[in-house]
Amino acid sequence: MAEPARLIALVEDDEDLRASTAQLLRLADFTVEAFADAPAALAAVGAAWPGLVISDVRMPGLSGIDLFRALHARDAELPVILITGHGDVGMAVDALKAGVWDFLTKPFAAEALIAAAERAAHARALALENRRLQALAQDSGGSALIGASPAIRRLRDMIPTLADADLDLLIEGETGTGKELLARLIHQGGKRRRHRLATINCAGLAPALEDEIFSLSGGASLVHASYGTVLLDDIDGASSRFHNLLVPVLEERALAVPGKAPVPLDLRVIATAGAGGQGSEAAAPLPPALLHRIAGMRIAIPPLRARREDIPLLFAHFAQEAAARARLPVPRLVPAVQDRLDHHAWPGNAHELARFAQQFVLGLVTPDGSDNAAPAPQPLAERVDAFEREAIIAAVRAAQGRIATAIATLGLPRKTFYYKINKLGIDLQALRQE
């Protein structure tokens, strides 16, 4: 889970109150930068501020409301907590509607201030993580092979050399690690890219199709791949018969024709196999006669659990792709989703991660961060929040966006309604547009 952004810009013109509030926050393990007025804070807090802002409302010169508006124009996701007097409650409610994170009325309890700061810090950390992931997803080094781990960087660096080497390759890795993608990138980067990349899924081939591959006729014949590349996908899942037929073709680079001279083949072979040469429990290791001929070089792609730094980057990429397909915005990360990215083993590797990213974009991820149909039991406070959120959304929709009608239906004070809108992360503007 993303760590809370525990830096606070505290803006308070009363020197004694500023000192005591700063001490309270520091005792709660926050780092505090204190400012005596809004202009000083505005000069220090930019769009990349890795924390939140707590400000008094009534100050000489620029007020806390003015400060919020200026900061909000720079970064609409920056959490700003306002501290108000009793006479400023109406002003604070208007500020909540404009995007203020929270407000506290003097005198406030120390626990209330710390709790509000904790919530805002978590939200800020997740917002900054979202930005980081989106930036990384847009900058993958110009390659479709996405990742920041040393292993993936090495593979990316090897692609130009491998593409021009015209060397047969054996790419090994678990399901979903990107073996076929790497093979395609190598083909597309070399001189054979002008010709066909013929893919043969070797697992479970019927004997008749095996015969066609090694004949001179039929759509599956290797002759159609001449001058191009043959991708033998899941070579370790092929039958022993297929392996035996393939060995002399690799040795001679020709197809044997009974009663005639062999037909030469000018092609490159790239094969994929499971980690260590085994694609599944049922697949046997490649026979040495085949392995030594097909593996001019063996390339291993590690699983995601061995390169966890690539998980956030791939997730952001898959989420952006899914959002584009669905014509939806990429949702903000929530702690449960971040926790799953940080700790799940991802046995299905990129395939599983892509599916999870799509479900995240479509809103199908359960509150515990899983993609199961039945969510795990939630703590009572989270269940209450979820119930209130759904009730408020339903009321606004039923009122066709008329907020006064929704408030009357819910029987809430106006101040409480807007407080819950902000606390529960409800996009009121989007609801009204519906």
Side-chain angles (χ1 to χ4, degrees):
M1 184 183 298
E3 289 297 318
R6 306 194 70 83
L7 175 62
I8 296 177
L10 174 64
V11 192
E12 172 59 67
D13 62 315
D14 185 294
E15 184 176 356
D16 292 337
L17 185 55
R18 184 171 67 248
S20 61
T21 305
Q23 183 180 19
L24 170 66
L25 293 167
R26 288 177 181 131
L27 289 173
D29 200 28
F30 285 97
T31 299
V32 180
E33 292 190 21
F35 302 93
D37 54 49
L42 196 56
V45 178
W49 180 259
L52 61 139
V53 176
I54 299 176
S55 175
D56 193 11
V57 168
R58 292 197 178 275
M59 294 183 293
L62 284 178
S63 69
I65 298 292
D66 295 329
L67 174 63
F68 157 71
R69 288 173 179 155
L71 294 174
H72 190 71
R74 292 179 183 174
D75 182 356
E77 293 182 316
L78 176 63
V80 177
I81 299 173
L82 295 180
I83 299 175
T84 71
H86 285 292
D88 300 324
V89 170
M91 182 192 305
V93 170
D94 290 338
L96 273 179
K97 290 189 284 185
V100 164
W101 173 262
D102 204 349
F103 71 90
L104 300 173
T105 304
K106 299 176 183 178
F108 54 83
E111 294 81 3
L113 177 63
I114 292 171
E118 292 283 1
R119 291 193 298 271
H122 276 285
R124 183 59 171 168
L126 289 171
L128 294 176
E129 179 70 359
N130 261 322
R131 292 181 190 177
R132 185 183 75 85
L133 295 182
Q134 290 170 6
L136 286 172
Q138 293 168 1
D139 182 18
S140 59
S143 171
L145 192 65
I146 295 172
S149 64
I152 296 301
R153 289 202 302 268
R154 281 196 300 271
L155 287 177
R156 272 202 303 266
D157 292 342
M158 289 169 60
I159 287 174
T161 301
L162 293 174
D164 290 332
D166 212 22
L167 184 70
D168 289 346
L169 303 173
L170 176 61
I171 304 174
E172 299 171 282
E174 296 178 5
T175 297
T177 50
K179 302 186 295 293
E180 183 179 351
L181 171 63
L182 179 58
R184 291 182 179 279
L185 292 174
I186 291 170
H187 169 76
Q188 292 164 4
K191 60 186 179 183
R192 294 183 182 270
R193 64 180 175 271
R194 295 186 298 273
H195 301 282
R196 184 181 177 192
L197 173 65
T199 301
I200 299 174
N201 190 343
C202 299
L205 283 174
L209 189 55
E210 292 179 347
D211 290 337
E212 185 177 314
I213 289 170
F214 297 103
S215 72
L216 295 179
S217 61
S221 173
L222 288 176
V223 296
H224 299 304
S226 286
Y227 308 108
T229 302
V230 173
L231 173 57
L232 299 176
D233 202 19
D234 291 334
I235 184 65
D236 50 342
S239 67
S240 298
R241 181 175 183 268
F242 183 87
H243 290 165
N244 293 333
L245 290 170
L246 182 60
V247 168
V249 173
L250 294 175
E251 179 72 24
E252 303 296 335
R253 296 294 169 173
L255 284 174
V257 181
K260 296 183 180 180
V263 176
L265 293 175
D266 181 358
L267 51 80
R268 181 186 201 174
V269 176
I270 302 177
T272 70
Q278 281 190 266
S280 68
E281 293 180 3
L286 295 177
L290 176 58
L291 179 62
H292 296 321
R293 287 169 175 80
I294 208 169
M297 181 175 179
R298 297 177 74 169
I299 302 170
I301 304 181
L304 281 182
R305 62 181 177 275
R307 48 185 177 101
R308 298 202 66 91
E309 60 266 53
D310 292 340
I311 293 173
L313 177 54
L314 282 166
F315 177 76
H317 171 75
F318 292 141
Q320 287 186 342
E321 283 192 334
R325 288 193 301 269
R327 297 182 180 180
L328 293 170
V330 177
R332 293 184 183 181
L333 283 178
V334 295
V337 170
Q338 182 68 58
D339 189 62
R340 184 172 174 84
L341 293 176
D342 289 344
H343 299 109
H344 185 58
W346 303 105
N349 294 293
H351 291 167
E352 182 184 1
L353 188 61
R355 183 192 68 195
F356 180 69
Q358 182 178 23
Q359 292 170 337
F360 166 71
V361 168
L362 297 177
L364 301 178
V365 176
T366 59
D368 66 347
S370 74
D371 54 355
N372 298 320
Q378 297 171 258
L380 179 60
E382 291 185 12
R383 279 183 277 170
V384 171
D385 284 350
F387 174 81
E388 289 186 340
R389 190 176 192 279
E390 291 303 318
I392 291 172
I393 290 173
V396 174
R397 284 175 173 161
Q400 297 182 331
R402 294 187 293 272
I403 302 305
T405 303
I407 290 173
T409 301
L410 293 165
L412 291 174
R414 189 176 185 84
K415 170 185 170 182
T416 304
F417 174 81
Y418 281 106
Y419 172 79
K420 290 185 179 294
I421 288 288
N422 191 67
K423 175 190 173 188
L424 300 172
I426 297 171
D427 189 338
L428 199 56
Q429 183 177 358
L431 276 177
R432 296 180 73 174
Q433 289 175 349
E434 289 181 10

